[in-house]
Amino acid sequence: MGALLASRRARIAAVAVVIALMAWGVASAVGSCSSTAAAARPTSADFVSHQTPDWADLHEEDGRMVYTVDGHVASTAGIDVSEHQGEIDWHAVAGDGIEFAIIRLGWRGAAEGEVREDACYARNLAGAREAGLDVGVYFFSQAIDEEEARAEADFVIEHLKGRELDYPVVYDHEPVEGVEGRADDLSVEQMTANAKAFCDRIDEAGYPAMIYGNAAGLARYSLADLPGYGIWFAEYGATIPSRLGRFSIWQYTDEGEVAGIGRTVDLNIRFPES
């Protein structure tokens, strides 16, 4: 009887060891996946371009700009939208070859300075993500100082509610046509300080940050003092961008037509990482 009990105890101990090893293996696998996911989370540096693309590889196909490397498409097609586009059929958008969307999360009034959420932000974000698009957001700023810029960043972070993003949170500060804006006459130093305050706060929250503008808009910054943040450049009607400096996304028209969107929309191309 004693030998039988000893044998049973040995078998139980062996089973316990096997179970423990299996549990350790599962935990290790989960830990490994979590670590990989964390490493894959985009950063501000992922959207900083360090060299000018070879413009000979940029061309138009069916009304959209495409960048090729060794004869293969290496660019990514995208749009940016706000409440002005109305209701969007995001599955139709995805079916029309669009791969990413940068969605307006909110804006500050140019005259009165009130901060508001875009009326279609939550619906657009959910719809684009559900249709399989990579997503980012932008905020239309009219900050007059660093305190307001940080408040705008906090507004964005609060409304993201911890959601993951594939593309950056973009700082868009520009004059509004026909409106005498509260931030129209800021100095280059103040504009730069505001952009840095916004982007730093976004970056600290774990999201990539980026700066948007056309040639005139970007000239309002000292970009040399913002080296850690990518540039989203806007220029329409050009076959090749006139800007020679660093930028990784080009908004090349505001008159694009995309399935699932009943109005014209901005079209963008993201160049391959250099």
Side-chain angles (χ1 to χ4, degrees):
M1 186 68 174
L4 181 59
L5 288 174
S7 177
R8 287 178 177 173
R9 291 193 188 103
R11 287 198 299 271
I12 292 170
V15 170
V17 169
V18 170
I19 292 172
L21 288 172
M22 290 175 64
W24 177 85
V26 170
S28 297
V30 170
S32 176
C33 289
S34 299
S35 178
T36 301
R41 188 173 188 179
T43 67
S44 297
D46 293 330
F47 294 87
V48 175
S49 175
H50 298 286
Q51 64 184 38
T52 302
D54 182 351
W55 297 128
D57 293 325
L58 178 68
H59 61 279
E60 184 177 327
E61 290 184 5
D62 299 324
R64 296 182 186 169
M65 302 305 295
V66 175
Y67 187 85
T68 57
V69 174
D70 297 328
H72 301 285
V73 175
S75 56
T76 310
I79 59 174
D80 59 274
V81 299
S82 70
E83 61 192 50
H84 300 299
Q85 272 70 45
E87 188 169 352
I88 296 173
D89 180 344
W90 283 103
H91 284 280
V93 171
D96 198 14
I98 300 301
E99 300 166 273
F100 73 87
I102 302 179
I103 296 160
R104 189 173 75 166
L105 183 147
W107 52 287
R108 185 189 289 274
E112 80 288 355
E114 184 178 351
V115 174
R116 301 182 178 92
E117 178 184 337
D118 185 285
C120 296
Y121 152 67
R123 184 174 64 197
N124 280 337
L125 188 67
R129 176 62 56 76
E130 198 272 333
L133 275 69
D134 289 335
V135 296
V137 300
Y138 75 94
F139 185 88
F140 183 84
S141 172
Q142 289 291 297
I144 60 174
D145 55 30
E146 296 99 313
E147 182 179 358
E148 285 193 350
R150 279 189 286 268
E152 291 172 352
D154 289 339
F155 181 89
V156 170
I157 294 164
E158 177 185 352
H159 283 73
L160 283 173
K161 299 178 180 178
R163 297 181 181 95
E164 294 285 332
L165 294 178
D166 315 286
Y167 273 65
V169 173
V170 183
Y171 183 72
D172 173 13
H173 194 305
E174 54 187 299
V176 178
E177 187 176 355
V179 176
E180 186 174 339
R182 62 202 296 275
D184 288 354
D185 298 321
L186 298 182
S187 67
V188 169
E189 292 76 16
Q190 189 63 63
M191 283 286 293
T192 304
N194 291 355
K196 188 174 189 308
F198 179 96
C199 291
D200 284 354
R201 182 64 63 91
I202 294 296
D203 195 66
E204 289 163 3
Y207 293 103
M210 194 175 205
I211 298 166
Y212 167 90
N214 59 18
L218 295 177
R220 300 178 72 196
Y221 302 103
S222 174
L223 294 179
D225 295 322
L226 299 165
Y229 299 113
I231 302 299
W232 176 12
F233 179 54
E235 182 179 39
Y236 309 148
T239 55
I240 294 174
S242 61
R243 178 176 173 76
L244 299 179
R246 59 183 180 86
F247 63 97
S248 57
I249 300 176
W250 177 28
Q251 184 188 78
Y252 56 89
T253 183
D254 61 350
E255 297 181 343
E257 295 184 0
V258 174
I261 302 179
R263 304 177 187 178
T264 57
V265 65
D266 299 336
L267 294 179
N268 300 274
I269 179 173
R270 182 185 179 186
F271 296 103
E273 294 181 25
S274 53

